[in-house]
Amino acid sequence: MRLGVLTGGGDCPGLNAVIRAVVTAGHVRHGDQTIGYLDGWRGVLDGRSTALDPLRSTGLLAMGGTVLGTSRTNPFGEPDGVERVRRTLAADRIDALVVIGGDDTLGVANRLGPMGVRAVGVPKTIDNDLSGTEVTFGFQTAVQTATEAIDRLATTAESHHRVIVCEVMGRHAGWIAAEAGIAGGAAEILVPEVPFDLDQVCAKLTARHERGQFFSIVVVAEGALPADPTLAESAAAARSGAPPDAFGHARLGGIGDWLAGQIERRTGFEARATTLGHIQRGGTPTAFDRVLATRFGVAAVEAVHDGAFGTMVALSAGSIVRVPLDQAVGHPKTLDLDLLEVAAPFLG
Ligand code: F6P
C-alpha cells in the first residue's frame, strides 16, 4: 500500500516515534511505501510531501517535535479545501492516511471520511484531553517536565519564603496541572473544570504560613478562571488577546501572572509567576511515551491493512484498541475529578 502520514496541531514529544513506527512497521510487515505530508493538513492542501523510509527514520525515536512540521490548518476553512485534499491524495496515489493529531486534526479526518478520504487516527496532545483513549502520547513527558520545573521552583520559593504560581498548559482540561501538582507537592491546583474561589485560595495560603509553611507552589492550568464573574473577566483580560486559530481557539496564557499579582495584593506574601509554556511541549519523549507512540504507530498500520478507516487507535485498560473517530472528537476529555480528591489532603 501507499500510506500518507501527517502530524497536525500543537507538536508533542513522541510524534517522530509514531512516524518511525508507521514507516518501519508498514515496510517490514506489509511492504508499504510511506510519504509524509509537510505541516499537517497544510501539506495535503498544497501537495507538499517527502518520501519516508526506514533508513531515514533512524534517530527519530528519541527526537522531540516532528520532522514533518505541523500547523493548525483546517481544510474546511480553506477555499476548495476538500477538493484540494482529494486531488493531492489521488495525485500521490495514497491508499490511506495515518493522521496524527488531537481533536482538531482528527476532527478533520473524521469529516473527510464520508467524502472518500480513508484515514486512521493516532491520538496526540500533551493536554491529554482527547476522548476515546485513556491517555495520549506526549502527556506523560509534559507531566515529567512540569514536575521537574515545580521541584526547582519549590527550592527557590522556600529560600525566599514566597508563593510561586506555576502556569502549565491545559486549555480545556487540567490533566497536566493535576498530575504535575500532585507529583510536585503543590499547595494549590487550579484547573479549568473547577472555577476557583480566590478568597479561599488566599485563605488557604495564609493558613499554611500560619502553620509555619512559609512557601507555597500554586499550579494553575492556563484555562483556569475564578468563579467570580468580575474577577474572571479581569483574569481573561490578562490573556494575550491574539486572534483565534483556524479552529476558533483563543490563545491562552496569562492567568499565572494575574494570579500571582492577586495573591500578593490580598495576602501580603511575596509572589512570583512562572509560565512553563512551550517548554512542556519540547524535547525528547519519556520511555513511556516512546513505547506508547510506537504501539500506536504499529497499530495504526494494522488498522489500515484491516480496512478500519474512520477509527482511531487508543489505549484502553493497557491494551491498544480501535475506537470510531466520531466518538473521539468534538467533546474534550476533561479531568477525572477523583484526581483532585487524591490531591486534596495535601493542598492548602
Ligand atoms: O497542543 C495543545 C496546546 O499545547 C495547548 O495546551 C495550548 O493552549 C496550545 O497548544 C498552544 O498553542 P500554540 O503553540 O499555537 O501557542
Side-chain angles (χ1 to χ4, degrees):
M1 281 180 119
R2 274 176 69 78
L3 308 183
V5 60
L6 68 88
T7 55
D11 75 332
C12 159
L15 284 167
N16 285 323
V18 180
I19 296 167
R20 167 185 177 267
V22 170
V23 171
T24 307
H27 176 78
V28 171
R29 290 181 164 195
H30 301 283
D32 292 338
Q33 287 179 319
T34 305
I35 72 166
Y37 286 101
L38 304 179
D39 304 332
W41 289 112
R42 172 61 56 206
V44 186
L45 284 173
D46 298 347
R48 288 186 300 113
S49 61
T50 183
L52 297 168
D53 59 52
L55 202 61
R56 282 191 66 194
S57 303
T58 307
L60 290 189
L61 180 60
M63 195 188 288
T66 164
V67 287
L68 293 178
T70 186
S71 68
R72 298 188 188 277
T73 304
N74 183 359
F76 288 95
E78 302 266 332
D80 302 326
V82 175
E83 200 34 52
R84 284 159 65 196
V85 167
R86 281 212 198 96
R87 261 205 310 266
T88 299
L89 299 181
D92 292 339
R93 293 176 291 110
I94 295 299
D95 297 300
L97 274 179
V98 174
V99 179
I100 312 169
D103 197 65
D104 297 329
T105 303
L106 296 181
V108 170
N110 187 42
R111 286 180 69 185
L112 286 172
M115 300 173 185
V117 175
R118 307 199 310 175
V120 167
V122 178
K124 163 245 65 157
T125 165
I126 63 160
D127 290 357
N128 195 34
D129 61 353
L130 191 63
S131 294
T133 184
E134 275 165 17
V135 71
T136 51
F137 73 85
F139 168 63
Q140 215 245 9
T141 305
V143 170
Q144 187 65 33
T145 302
T147 302
E148 284 164 17
I150 292 168
D151 287 348
R152 289 171 192 277
L153 292 173
T155 62
T156 173
E158 184 164 22
S159 305
H160 287 266
H161 318 299
R162 284 174 176 161
V163 176
I164 296 191
V165 178
C166 178
E167 180 184 310
V168 297
M169 281 188 172
R171 199 196 285 280
H172 309 290
W175 290 100
I176 298 177
E179 293 216 356
I182 291 171
E188 193 58 83
I189 298 172
L190 306 174
V191 297
E193 291 86 346
V194 187
F196 61 89
D197 181 332
L198 186 56
D199 288 335
Q200 216 173 66
V201 170
C202 291
K204 283 206 252 171
L205 294 175
T206 303
R208 261 176 79 82
H209 276 236
E210 283 167 3
R211 282 199 309 270
Q213 290 169 289
F214 299 119
F215 80 102
S216 304
I217 299 294
V218 175
V219 178
V220 61
E222 62 182 349
L225 282 175
D228 179 278
T230 314
L231 288 173
E233 205 178 307
S234 145
R239 291 173 177 164
S240 80
D245 68 19
F247 292 92
H249 303 301
R251 192 182 304 169
L252 302 185
I255 183 72
D257 277 316
W258 179 88
L259 187 58
Q262 291 287 332
I263 289 172
E264 187 164 281
R265 209 164 312 132
R266 288 161 183 252
T267 62
F269 304 140
E270 210 184 337
R272 298 284 191 273
T274 293
T275 300
L276 296 188
H278 295 81
I279 286 172
Q280 293 158 99
R281 290 225 308 247
T284 186
T286 58
F288 176 89
D289 275 334
R290 294 180 200 187
V291 174
L292 184 62
T294 303
R295 292 176 78 194
F296 279 158
V298 171
V301 168
E302 294 311 315
V304 164
H305 281 273
D306 288 347
F309 304 117
T311 65
M312 178 184 84
V313 295
L315 193 73
S316 173
S319 297
I320 305 291
V321 298
R322 296 170 190 165
V323 296
L325 269 173
D326 216 21
Q327 282 176 23
V329 301
H331 49 286
K333 180 184 70 185
T334 51
L335 180 65
D336 174 357
L337 296 183
D338 282 355
L339 264 184
L340 294 185
E341 290 304 314
V342 170
F346 308 100
L347 300 179

